Amino acid sequence: ATTEIYTLSLHDALPILVELIDKYIITQELPDTSSEEAQAKSYIAEMKAYYESSGYTWADVLANNGFTESTITEYYATNYEKDSVAKKYYKDSITDDEINKYYKNEIIGDITAKQILIVPETTKDSTDAEKETANTNAYNKALEVIQKLKNGEDFSELAKTYSDDDSASVGGTLAPFNKQSDYPTEFIEQAIKLDVNEYSKKPIKTEYGYHIIYIVSKEDKPELDSVKDNIITNLANEKIDNNQNYVNTAWKALREKYNLNIYDTVIKENYDRTMSQYKD
């Protein structure tokens, strides 16, 4: 485990006039900020505990960094509020075309399946040669299990005997899943291709080992209205994950939306220079 190093800094704060505008935008976009205030207090409590465990006096830490208990709470609460508003911006910006495309390509009915997982027997100290041998052995073992299935043996009983997954005790039965589930992509893609009551004829390799899948059932694709909110969330999260500066990108657009005009030449030049690095 690593220890998080907490830092106190105001060096990246925007000019005070812009901050005042941002506060106004927050009140319009985020009427209830109780959650963000709670996050700030929790984070500050962790920060305080860290400094005090390291031999510092919390009052001195605050004073040395130009904070009081009140101003540091406001500072971090504002940061969390800006993050929440940015995430809301990305959700609000999702178009109907994006939603319909995601629905067409990514939404399927839930799949219920069983699996047998064969995990290569390696350790953190295994050499590359040993890992290769272990992978070959696991693959061959999976082929042997598939042959047993071809010979008519019961999938659930084979799972109890051979599977290295926690689901082995229940005959390999997995919780229902879809394309948004936290399963390996290779696993999901093969499950989609298989018909109900069909099992995979070749081992499916993932980071966990070699899988054999048996499809128990497949639900119909849900109606768009029932999954629309989840689609919007997923699309927004994809955009956020692909932009490490998503907060600044969103706030650049939001200030433009609220017609922020800076007439002070120096502040405007500094602001424009700072914002120019963030893509729309």
Side-chain angles (χ1 to χ4, degrees), residues 8-197:
L8 300 173
S9 176
L10 285 172
H11 74 279
D12 60 344
L14 290 170
I16 188 63
L17 291 177
V18 177
E19 287 292 332
L20 290 173
I21 294 294
D22 288 353
K23 275 294 189 181
Y24 170 76
I25 294 174
I26 289 171
T27 64
Q28 302 302 302
E29 298 286 329
L30 200 67
D32 182 5
T33 59
S34 57
S35 175
E36 289 72 21
E37 290 168 6
Q39 284 180 280
K41 289 178 181 177
S42 176
Y43 181 77
I44 292 166
E46 291 179 10
M47 192 191 310
K48 179 180 179 181
Y50 168 77
Y51 276 109
E52 290 183 341
S53 68
S54 301
Y56 294 92
T57 301
W58 180 238
D60 291 341
V61 172
L62 291 176
N64 291 338
N65 288 277
F67 283 111
T68 65
E69 197 74 44
S70 175
T71 57
I72 194 174
T73 301
E74 181 180 2
Y75 175 69
Y76 281 104
T78 298
N79 285 346
Y80 283 117
E81 289 162 6
K82 284 187 174 182
D83 185 74
S84 293
V85 170
K87 290 175 178 175
K88 179 179 180 297
Y89 164 80
Y90 278 95
K91 281 189 174 184
D92 292 344
S93 67
I94 301 300
T95 66
D96 287 341
D97 284 345
E98 290 175 301
I99 292 170
N100 291 330
K101 181 179 179 181
Y102 189 97
Y103 177 74
K104 177 182 177 182
N105 297 330
E106 302 298 330
I107 298 299
I108 62 172
D110 282 350
I111 298 173
T112 300
K114 299 179 182 181
Q115 78 157 349
I116 298 169
L117 173 63
I118 309 298
V119 178
E121 296 181 1
T122 61
T123 68
K124 63 179 182 179
D125 298 321
S126 296
T127 64
D128 289 342
E130 290 170 337
K131 290 178 181 177
E132 183 176 351
T133 298
N135 269 286
T136 299
N137 292 338
Y139 177 78
N140 289 334
K141 186 177 179 181
L143 289 178
E144 292 174 9
V145 173
I146 290 173
Q147 186 58 52
K148 290 179 181 293
L149 288 168
K150 291 179 179 178
N151 293 339
E153 294 192 38
D154 183 72
F155 193 99
S156 294
E157 293 304 315
L158 289 172
K160 292 176 182 178
T161 302
Y162 292 99
S163 184
D164 296 317
D165 187 61
D166 291 341
S167 65
S169 61
V170 290
T173 301
L174 303 171
F177 60 91
N178 52 47
K179 292 184 76 171
Q180 287 68 51
S181 300
D182 189 22
Y183 282 33
T185 301
E186 307 92 332
F187 181 96
I188 294 175
E189 288 178 348
Q190 289 301 313
I192 291 172
K193 294 176 182 178
L194 293 170
D195 293 326
V196 174
N197 297 324

